[in-house]
């Protein structure tokens, strides 16, 4: 493969966090997508009755007993972010979860410790919270909060600025609302803010929580939702989608700086584009070939890439009779109606349903992880093409099974991601695989590693150790030098701490699960104190006791050599 060619406008994706149907984090999400799982599940009558669904609704043949939700969406560690019980109880659940995912994304990027030093922006959107606002207003007489403050906590429009306030994010903080394309438009705005240097790091994403209760929905013919809860994107039997819950956040940085700072790069954003259909369509809620086409072509032009080098497109793909044919037609024209079937097509909505304001970020994270792992997950429920879709008029084919993503020719792997909102706001992103980075070679130079983790409570520290152990067992071998560095430098210091000295990953896993290591923690009392490593003396010295340190640690060797030179004088 030839070297990636950059023009200075590229943005690196350096951190990811998400919770999606059936998936508590982005790693589980990717694993489920690889396995071709549909993460929409059936609800029993018992569950539905417990949620207040009437027997009349349950007996209605049009009532669809399906949901797309995830566990623990009602959990919020409010004290971690400095909120009281009353504030947390009043806060829109979408805002609660978004706090946590922003923090996790910053930790994943290795910049949780740099919040006070970096100018970080936040661009995000959420689904309507009208029901929650009504709930808060109905219980206002029981609240101990000032009504003005309560109205802000319960209104998703204040989500971005509330998170920015608690995390001390001092870049632009924007709440975005363009319906279904919201979170991908947020990515577009974040990229622009980075390029104009309004911020040095940007968080972008979206969230949709429909309700805490387990409920289905009533099917209505010719509307956007399907009769059975399945989304059969591009298929002849397609009749719509279903709405689900989810949240996703990515951390972005200018590629030039990400490379200079040795950040972990999931993928590269070559370009983003946004436009609106105007009145070039049959109605306000209808999609438009011209609007989508112009948006996609604009993204190609900004990226400076030939569409023939793009080998995957994550489609908006709602599975509607009208929407899918229009989307493919716009893509066919944007790709110059190439006859060669070189571009796979898919939609994550076939796995998880439609996430409304978080739909675009769900598709982006799927594609970013696909580029990282160089695999394209299957788009589900596709058997026979919708006869209104012109698959003969372009380079696209629906990807129906997990496929290794292989380069053809000299170009790096590239993908497009589309998200289109009701009302006509279209967004398209061009992604490219991350550049190959030369390893530093530190893994072999150090026999022993020191891993340090910290948390605000002992319980949280124990949970952290368990999660780290599970990650190391489930995932591939990771660079231990990078792991130790990130946990030491890229994470924030908290009151309770634990340090482990080990040689390899197997020993680390054993230590993380050992009873002794999980019993004794250090509780720091003062901040800013220096730590000095020294040999204790008192008769415990022995020959060559510092030999390994001298041979393996350059800093130790340099300082010892300075001392030896003084002794020779």
């Amino acid at each position: 493969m030839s070297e990636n060619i950059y023009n200075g406008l590229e943005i690196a994706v350096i951190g990811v966090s998400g919770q999606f149907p059936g998936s508590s984090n982005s790693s589980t999400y990717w694993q489920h997508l690889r396995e071709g799982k549909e993460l929409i599940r059936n609800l029993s009558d018992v569950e539905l009755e417990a949620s207040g669904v009437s027997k009349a609704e349950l007996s209605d043949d049009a009532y669809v007993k399906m949901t797309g939700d995830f566990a623990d969406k009602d959990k919020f560690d409010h004290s971690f972010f400095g909120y009281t019980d009353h504030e947390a109880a009043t806060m829109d659940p979408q805002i609660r979860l978004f706090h946590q995912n922003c923090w996790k994304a910053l930790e994943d990027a290795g910049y949780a410790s740099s919040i006070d030093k970096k100018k970080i922006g936040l661009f995000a959107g959420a689904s309507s919270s009208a029901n929650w606002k009504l709930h808060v207003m109905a219980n206002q007489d029981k609240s101990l909060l000032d009504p003005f403050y309560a109205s802000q906590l319960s209104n998703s429009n204040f989500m971005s600025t509330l998170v920015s306030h608690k995390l001390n994010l001092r870049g632009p903080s924007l709440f975005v609302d363009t319906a279904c394309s919201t979170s991908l438009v947020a990515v577009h705005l974040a990229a622009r803010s980075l390029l104009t240097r309004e911020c040095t790091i940007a968080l972008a994403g979206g969230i949709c929580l429909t309700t805490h209760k387990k409920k289905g929905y009533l099917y209505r013919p010719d509307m956007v939702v399907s009769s059975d809860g399945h989304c059969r994107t591009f298929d002849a039997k397609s009749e719509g989608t279903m709405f689900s819950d989810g949240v996703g956040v990515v951390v972005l940085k200018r590629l030039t700086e990400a490379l200079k700072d040795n950040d972990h790069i999931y993928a590269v954003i070559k370009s983003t584009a946004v436009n609106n259909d105007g009145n070039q369509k049959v109605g306000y809620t209808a999609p438009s070939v011209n609007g989508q086409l112009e948006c996609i072509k604009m993204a190609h032009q900004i990226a400076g890439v030939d569409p023939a080098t793009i080998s995957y497109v994550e489609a908006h793909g709602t599975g509607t009779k009208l929407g899918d044919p229009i989307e493919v037609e716009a893509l066919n024209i944007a790709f110059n109606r190439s006859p060669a079937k070189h571009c796979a097509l898919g939609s994550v909505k076939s796995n998880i349903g439609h996430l409304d304001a978080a739909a675009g970020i769900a598709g982006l994270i799927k594609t970013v992880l696909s580029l990282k792992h160089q695999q394209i997950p299957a788009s589900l429920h596709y058997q026979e093409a919708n006869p209104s879709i012109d698959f003969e008029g372009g380079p696209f084919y629906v990807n129906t099974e997990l496929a290794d993503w292989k380069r053809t020719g000299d170009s790096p792997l590239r993908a497009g991601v589309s998200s289109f909102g009701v009302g006509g706001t279209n967004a398209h992103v061009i992604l490219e695989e991350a550049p190959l980075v030369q390893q530093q070679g530190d893994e072999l130079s150090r026999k022993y590693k020191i891993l340090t983790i910290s948390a605000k409570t002992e319980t949280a520290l124990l949970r952290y150790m368990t999660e780290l152990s599970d990650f190391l067992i489930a995932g591939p071998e990771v660079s231990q030098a990078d792991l130790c560095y990130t946990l030491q430098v890229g994470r924030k210091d908290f009151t309770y701490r634990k340090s482990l000295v080990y040689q390899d990953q197997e020993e680390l896993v054993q230590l993380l699960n050992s009873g002794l290591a999980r019993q004794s923690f250090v509780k720091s009392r003062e901040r800013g104190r220096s730590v000095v490593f020294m040999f204790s003396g008192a008769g415990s010295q022995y020959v060559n006791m510092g030999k390994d340190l001298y041979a393996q640690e350059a800093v130790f060797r340099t300082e010892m050599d300075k001392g030896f030179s003084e002794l020779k004088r």
Side-chain angles (χ1 to χ4, degrees):
M1 184 187 76
S2 64
E3 288 190 13
N4 304 52
I5 300 173
Y6 301 125
N7 59 18
L9 300 178
E10 292 82 10
I11 302 295
V13 181
I14 62 171
V16 171
S17 179
Q19 292 170 267
F20 303 100
S23 309
S24 59
N25 54 55
S26 57
S27 297
T28 307
Y29 178 55
W30 170 249
Q31 188 60 34
H32 288 161
L33 295 180
R34 282 188 73 255
E35 294 169 356
K37 289 184 177 180
E38 183 181 28
L39 301 170
I40 306 301
R41 66 183 185 88
N42 289 298
L43 289 168
S44 68
D45 286 359
V46 173
E47 288 179 292
L48 292 167
E49 285 180 9
S51 294
V53 180
S54 68
K55 291 187 180 296
E57 285 181 295
L58 292 177
S59 61
D60 190 335
D61 291 339
Y63 191 83
V64 182
K65 303 172 184 179
M66 302 282 278
T67 188
D69 60 5
F70 54 88
D72 297 334
K73 63 184 182 181
D74 57 339
K75 303 294 192 297
F76 180 48
D77 190 354
H78 61 274
S79 60
F80 180 89
F81 296 100
Y83 289 107
T84 66
D85 293 351
H86 296 292
E87 289 172 323
T90 301
M91 185 180 290
D92 180 349
Q94 296 183 114
I95 302 177
R96 298 178 202 159
L97 274 187
F98 205 73
H99 275 80
Q100 295 181 167
N101 277 274
C102 285
W103 178 260
K104 290 177 182 177
L106 283 168
E107 284 200 325
D108 186 59
Y111 281 101
S113 64
S114 303
I115 288 175
D116 299 328
K117 305 170 188 174
K118 303 284 186 181
K119 197 171 184 180
I120 301 176
L122 175 58
F123 305 80
S127 295
S128 170
S129 56
N131 286 346
W132 186 262
K133 286 186 283 187
L134 289 172
H135 162 73
V136 171
M137 290 173 64
N139 293 276
Q140 187 64 55
D141 58 331
K142 304 173 186 175
S143 176
L144 299 179
L145 301 179
D146 175 77
F148 180 65
Y149 182 39
S151 70
Q152 295 164 346
L153 291 175
S154 61
N155 188 339
S156 61
N157 289 359
F158 290 92
M159 181 175 76
S160 294
T161 48
L162 281 167
V163 173
S164 293
H165 173 65
K166 283 300 181 181
L167 297 189
N168 192 28
L169 308 183
R170 291 166 290 109
S173 186
L174 275 64
F175 182 84
V176 184
D177 188 357
T178 61
C180 317
S181 60
T182 290
S183 52
L184 206 62
V185 172
V187 171
H188 167 80
L189 295 173
R192 290 294 187 271
S193 186
L194 287 166
L195 293 175
T196 58
R197 300 186 181 273
E198 292 176 326
C199 54
T200 55
I201 295 174
L203 296 169
I207 184 167
C208 171
L209 291 186
T210 52
T211 177
H212 279 321
K213 295 183 176 181
K214 298 172 181 177
K215 288 191 174 184
Y217 61 89
L218 280 170
Y219 166 71
R220 291 290 180 262
D222 299 322
M223 298 300 288
V224 73
V225 291
S226 66
S227 64
D228 59 2
H230 302 296
C231 182
R232 297 179 172 82
T233 309
F234 309 123
D235 191 75
K237 295 180 180 179
S238 62
E239 53 181 2
T241 185
M242 71 161 289
F243 287 93
S244 303
D245 294 340
V247 52
V249 179
V250 292
V251 182
L252 308 177
K253 192 176 181 182
R254 290 186 292 275
L255 177 63
T256 51
E257 296 189 6
L259 289 171
K260 182 180 69 176
D261 295 338
N262 293 315
D263 293 322
H264 172 258
I265 300 173
Y266 283 91
V268 173
I269 295 176
K270 291 286 288 183
S271 69
T272 66
V274 167
N275 73 351
N276 191 274
D277 296 334
N279 64 3
Q280 304 178 74
K281 52 188 180 180
V282 297
Y284 175 72
T285 60
S288 162
V289 171
N290 287 339
Q292 294 178 19
L293 165 63
E294 290 168 6
C295 182
I296 296 166
K297 288 187 71 173
M298 192 191 317
H300 291 167
Q301 290 165 0
I302 295 170
V305 300
D306 183 342
T309 65
I310 296 172
S311 48
Y312 177 69
V313 170
E314 173 65 21
H316 183 63
T318 54
T320 58
K321 294 291 186 183
L322 178 65
D324 287 0
I326 284 178
E327 181 169 7
V328 174
E329 179 63 11
L331 284 166
N332 282 342
I333 302 171
F335 278 66
N336 304 314
R337 294 200 179 276
S338 169
K341 297 296 179 187
H342 68 81
C343 193
L345 197 60
S347 173
V348 77
K349 290 180 181 66
S350 66
N351 302 89
I352 62 174
H354 195 336
L355 269 54
D356 192 49
I361 201 69
L364 183 84
I365 290 175
K366 169 193 171 181
T367 311
V368 161
L369 295 176
S370 295
L371 283 165
K372 172 181 168 60
H373 297 285
Q374 299 190 358
Q375 289 183 310
I376 302 176
S379 194
L380 307 184
H381 309 306
Y382 180 80
Q383 295 179 334
E384 181 182 352
N386 179 337
S388 298
I389 297 178
D390 182 18
F391 278 123
E392 295 302 316
F396 301 99
Y397 63 93
V398 180
N399 186 67
T400 57
E401 59 184 24
L402 180 67
D404 290 332
W405 199 347
K406 298 179 180 179
R407 305 181 192 95
T408 56
D410 292 334
S411 298
L413 297 178
R414 289 185 180 134
V417 181
S418 290
S419 190
F420 309 130
V422 168
T425 301
N426 307 305
H428 192 77
V429 173
I430 303 297
L431 293 170
E432 185 175 278
E433 66 177 306
L436 292 174
V437 179
Q438 198 71 27
Q439 294 297 319
Q440 299 299 312
D442 190 53
E443 200 74 27
L444 297 177
S445 67
R446 280 186 166 91
K447 182 178 180 181
Y448 294 98
K449 287 87 178 172
I450 302 176
L451 181 136
T452 303
I453 53 179
S454 68
K456 288 191 174 184
T457 65
E458 290 190 45
T459 302
L461 190 56
L462 284 168
R463 185 172 63 248
Y464 203 132
M465 292 173 70
T466 300
E467 290 176 354
L468 180 58
S469 173
D470 292 344
F471 167 77
L472 293 170
I473 292 171
E477 192 82 14
V478 300
S479 166
Q480 295 303 306
D482 288 348
L483 178 68
C484 293
Y485 178 85
T486 299
L487 291 178
Q488 178 66 42
V489 177
R491 301 292 170 89
K492 207 158 190 173
D493 294 333
F494 295 117
T495 303
Y496 291 89
R497 300 170 63 81
K498 183 69 184 180
S499 294
L500 300 172
V501 180
Y502 68 100
Q503 296 187 53
D504 54 37
Q505 185 163 309
E506 182 179 354
E507 184 180 5
L508 174 58
V509 171
Q510 292 175 353
L511 287 171
L512 287 168
N513 292 291
S514 70
L516 181 62
R518 296 174 69 87
Q519 290 173 6
S520 55
F521 300 130
V522 173
K523 184 178 181 181
S524 61
R525 295 187 180 275
E526 297 182 33
R527 294 189 177 278
R529 294 180 61 183
S530 300
V531 177
V532 177
F533 291 93
M534 57 188 297
F535 299 109
S536 58
S540 63
Q541 306 95 326
Y542 56 89
V543 175
N544 289 331
M545 66 182 293
K547 184 178 179 181
D548 282 350
L549 275 174
Y550 185 84
Q552 296 176 30
E553 297 295 332
V555 174
F556 181 82
R557 184 165 57 249
T558 299
E559 295 303 315
M560 290 298 294
D561 286 344
K562 288 180 183 178
F564 294 149
S565 65
E566 291 295 322
L567 291 174
K568 291 177 182 178
R569 291 185 179 182

